[in-house]
Each structure stands twice: as structure tokens, then as C-alpha cells.
Amino acid sequence: MDQEGAVSQEFIFGSKKVGTDAIVGGVIIMGIYSFFILIIIFVIGAGTIAEGFSFATLCGLPFIALPFLMIRHFFRKFSTVRLYVQHAKNTLMLEAKFGPIVSRRHKILSDATHLSFHFYTIISYSEETTDVYGGGFVGSGNVIGQTTTTVADSGTHQFYTIHGFNETEGKWELDITKILEGLSKKNAMQIAECIGIEFRDEGEIVPKGLVIA
């Protein structure tokens, strides 16, 4: 997290800048998916014109959404995210930038209520098979059997979110997880302090529908 400015109670917190190679690669990949979108739309449109709306057309519609989801994924993965805390203007702005593409969300600073942290851990299991040799040394003698070992691998996913509320839109959230990638809760507490809101450690929260073995 880079604190890029702190003038007149205005703060800017930014995520790590994405390398040029990643941006170029992301643009190429998004271009490929955009091309697939055009092909799918053309095929479905041609089929609809020729045969009318059919069951095959209905089955093809979900495939249009897949490239859009992939483009959204790459935009979030490779974009540079900045949080602007502007007390003088009573404004919170979350900006995501990927090359020439810029997305901004504005919120009223005084509507912010707290900054929350939560996580969940996914544990996956795999089996590794090792040959057993009759000579007593690995790689020597004849293979007389095999042993199977279960290996556990875990990954922890952390999330940082600014919460707020107003009567017009109700509850709102700003996801600042990318800004805090590779950092600690102490850095999140500093952001909460700069905004002037409470920091809440909500511990482990498993998303609904997610089965963790």
C-alpha cells in the first residue's frame, strides 16, 4: 500500500502498480474474449434469423455471459486500485485503472460507518504415490510396491471492505482488498483512522454455498 499524499486531510492509498507486461497480456486476452463475444452473438443471431427463436438459441445465450465474466476478472486482477479520502470535499472515491480504462465509485465520506476484515481458509487434499524398492534404497533394486501419502495444501483468502449507509441507497460497500494485498490488519487500521471510522475484525466467515473440506 503506497500512501501517495496527505495534504489538508486528503489521503490517497494505492495498490501495487501492475507491470507493463501484465497490462499488455491482459489487453491481448481481453481482446481475444471480445472477439469470442462477437462470434457467439453472430452465430446466435444468424441461427435466430434463419430458424427463429429455438431451444438451441436459448442454450447458447449463457455462453455470451462467459467472456464478459472473464473480461471482468482480468480487469480486477490487473487493474491498479486507489482510494481517495477527501475530508475537505466529504468524499470517498475508489478508482480502478487498467491502461486507458478507468472505473470510479464515489461515496459520501460521512456516510462511512466502519472498515471490516474477514477471511476464510480453503484446504485441498491430494495424493502422492511413491515407489518402494526392494534394495532398501530409493532408485535401487526392484519395485516391490507403492505407498500413497495424503498431502494437504491450504490457502487463506482475506477481504477488506469499507461499509456505509445513507437513506437514498441504503447500505453500500467499497472493496479495498486489492489495496491491502500482502499487507496486514495494521495497515487497514491506518486507513480506518484516516477515514475516521471503526475497524472491525470479523474473523473467519465462510461464504454461503462454499464447502470447505
Side-chain angles (χ1 to χ4, degrees), residues 132-205:
V132 178
Y133 294 87
F137 298 96
V138 176
S140 63
N142 297 323
V143 177
I144 60 175
Q146 291 182 325
T147 59
T148 301
T149 305
T150 301
V151 180
D153 184 26
S154 63
T156 300
H157 301 265
Q158 299 181 340
F159 302 90
Y160 296 90
T161 308
I162 297 173
H163 300 260
F165 175 84
N166 61 53
E167 295 183 356
T168 303
E169 59 181 324
K171 294 181 179 179
W172 55 261
E173 297 179 352
L174 292 177
D175 183 359
I176 60 170
T177 301
K178 190 173 179 64
I179 296 175
L180 290 158
E181 280 183 354
L183 301 176
S184 65
K185 288 185 286 186
K186 182 179 179 180
N187 301 103
M189 293 177 185
Q190 292 173 349
I191 294 179
E193 183 178 355
C194 288
I195 298 174
I197 56 177
E198 175 190 1
F199 174 79
R200 296 182 187 176
D201 186 345
E202 298 179 349
E204 183 172 16
I205 299 178

Side-chain angles (χ1 to χ4, degrees), residues 16-29:
K16 296 178 181 179
K17 294 183 179 179
V18 180
T20 304
D21 293 342
I23 293 177
V24 173
V27 170
I28 293 174
I29 292 173

Side-chain angles (χ1 to χ4, degrees), residues 18-164:
V18 180
T20 304
D21 293 342
I23 293 177
V24 173
V27 170
I28 293 174
I29 292 173
M30 288 200 299
I32 292 173
Y33 280 114
S34 298
F35 178 69
F36 284 152
I37 291 174
L38 293 176
I39 292 178
I40 293 172
I41 292 175
F42 176 78
V43 171
I44 294 177
T48 303
I49 293 173
E51 302 178 4
F53 194 84
S54 62
F55 179 75
T57 302
L58 183 63
C59 292
L61 290 177
F63 289 97
I64 296 178
L66 183 60
F68 282 107
L69 293 176
M70 295 304 298
I71 290 174
R72 179 174 178 269
H73 168 75
F74 280 105
F75 178 78
R76 296 184 64 180
K77 182 177 178 63
F78 295 114
S79 60
T80 299
V81 179
R82 290 186 177 90
L83 176 69
Y84 294 80
V85 182
Q86 300 172 315
H87 285 274
K89 298 179 180 179
N90 194 26
T91 301
L92 271 178
M93 183 178 74
L94 188 66
E95 177 187 84
K97 185 176 182 181
F98 179 79
I101 305 173
V102 180
S103 172
R104 294 187 178 96
R105 294 186 63 193
H106 295 82
K107 297 296 179 183
I108 298 174
L109 179 62
S110 57
D111 287 343
T113 56
H114 65 281
L115 194 163
S116 70
F117 161 78
H118 76 271
F119 73 94
Y120 66 86
T121 301
I122 295 179
I123 302 177
S124 60
Y125 298 92
S126 60
E127 293 185 347
E128 294 184 356
T129 302
T130 306
D131 293 332
V132 178
Y133 294 87
F137 298 96
V138 176
S140 63
N142 297 323
V143 177
I144 60 175
Q146 291 182 325
T147 59
T148 301
T149 305
T150 301
V151 180
D153 184 26
S154 63
T156 300
H157 301 265
Q158 299 181 340
F159 302 90
Y160 296 90
T161 308
I162 297 173
H163 300 260

